[in-house]
Amino acid sequence: MLILLRVYYKSRTGRNQMDKMNQSSAEAGSGTIALRYLSKGEAEAIETELLRDYKFGQQQLIEIWGQACALAITKAYPLSSLAKKQPTVLVICGPDQNGSIGLVCARHLRMYEYEPTIYHPKRSSQSLHQDFTVQCEKMDIPSLSYLPTEVQLINDAYNLVIDAMLGPDTDCANIKEPYPGILVTLKQIKVPIASVDVPSGWDAEEPSQDGINPDVLISLTAPKKCAVSFSGKHFLAGRFLPYDIQKKYDLNLPDYPGTDCIIEL
């Protein structure tokens, strides 16, 4: 009986916490409590807690985020809406975590019947990044050896570009080649750009004045401060966050519809 009471108490406590979170989300939707936009330090602290205290694995988080990014792309650009006959997508991946997320996103897009092509100019020596690369290769996802500087070739070949190049940890004042050249190209293309977490070339805490201008932003965990004034289509992938972390950082996350792992803000 004592065991049953403990289980019941924990169950009731969990439901009460969920009810409070849902109430907060509803209040956020009504404008009384605003969705929290994270500083760079706060985002790093949350990820550290997920890895250290909640025993998430790095590969697990990247997989969660990558699949969520792919689902956001299917929401923003359904197969039926693509202008070109072939559902081609160019995924530009950097060498760090955002690049790994881009690789996972490409793999899931392939399973959702898109035709991704990967361009990662600097392949990482990290084992996880290499593993995700092999997974894409095993699914026959092609890779570009170079990015055309003639932007019309990109416009003609792809329906959209996914920017998974530079993440929130990037020092925007010290971006090294080949990435500045790629950013110049991305500023000129006409096809839509969807950026992962933080648009490449943006500071995580400040809206960009002269960076790329993506049509879609997919924020991971919670949106970063740079996204406060973002005017494009904005998705959030943070449903997996434990309720204690949501409460600790006053994230005020919205209610996700049904069983969706993403929500449009």
Side-chain angles (χ1 to χ4, degrees), residues 177-189:
E177 291 294 348
Y179 301 112
I182 297 172
L183 290 174
V184 169
T185 299
L186 292 182
K187 290 179 185 179
Q188 300 177 63
I189 64 173

Side-chain angles (χ1 to χ4, degrees), residues 161-178:
V161 172
I162 298 175
D163 158 36
M165 190 167 56
L166 305 175
D169 296 333
T170 303
D171 179 3
C172 295
N174 191 31
I175 300 175
K176 297 179 180 179
E177 291 294 348

Side-chain angles (χ1 to χ4, degrees), residues 23-175:
Q23 182 181 356
S24 296
S25 296
E27 292 172 349
S30 67
T32 57
I33 300 179
L35 175 67
R36 181 78 178 278
Y37 285 72
L38 298 178
S39 68
K40 182 177 178 180
E42 289 169 333
E44 291 173 349
I46 289 174
E47 185 171 338
T48 297
E49 287 190 39
L50 288 171
L51 294 169
R52 182 192 63 208
D53 301 334
Y54 290 85
K55 303 306 178 183
F56 280 80
Q58 194 74 50
Q59 182 173 2
Q60 181 185 11
L61 289 176
I62 292 171
E63 185 70 29
I64 290 171
W65 288 325
Q67 183 179 22
C69 287
L71 290 169
I73 295 299
T74 68
K75 299 283 189 183
Y77 303 102
L79 287 169
S80 60
S81 72
L82 299 180
K84 296 176 175 58
K85 184 177 180 180
Q86 302 299 322
T88 51
V89 179
L90 177 60
V91 186
I92 303 179
C93 299
D96 299 318
Q97 182 163 280
N98 250 32
S100 294
I101 294 168
L103 293 171
V104 174
C105 176
R107 172 161 51 80
H108 282 283
L109 285 175
R110 181 70 185 87
M111 291 188 284
Y112 299 152
E113 299 184 357
Y114 291 75
E115 295 182 9
T117 295
I118 293 168
Y119 175 57
H120 44 175
K122 282 190 174 182
R123 299 201 179 194
S124 173
S125 60
Q126 297 175 353
S127 60
L128 272 183
H129 193 96
Q130 293 177 347
D131 290 346
F132 291 129
T133 301
V134 170
Q135 291 169 11
C136 289
E137 291 171 349
K138 293 293 186 182
M139 292 190 68
D140 296 323
I141 299 176
S143 293
L144 293 181
S145 57
Y146 68 95
L147 185 70
T149 55
E150 188 176 342
V151 295
Q152 192 57 42
L153 293 176
I154 299 174
N155 294 334
D156 291 342
Y158 302 103
N159 291 279
L160 67 140
V161 172
I162 298 175
D163 158 36
M165 190 167 56
L166 305 175
D169 296 333
T170 303
D171 179 3
C172 295
N174 191 31
I175 300 175

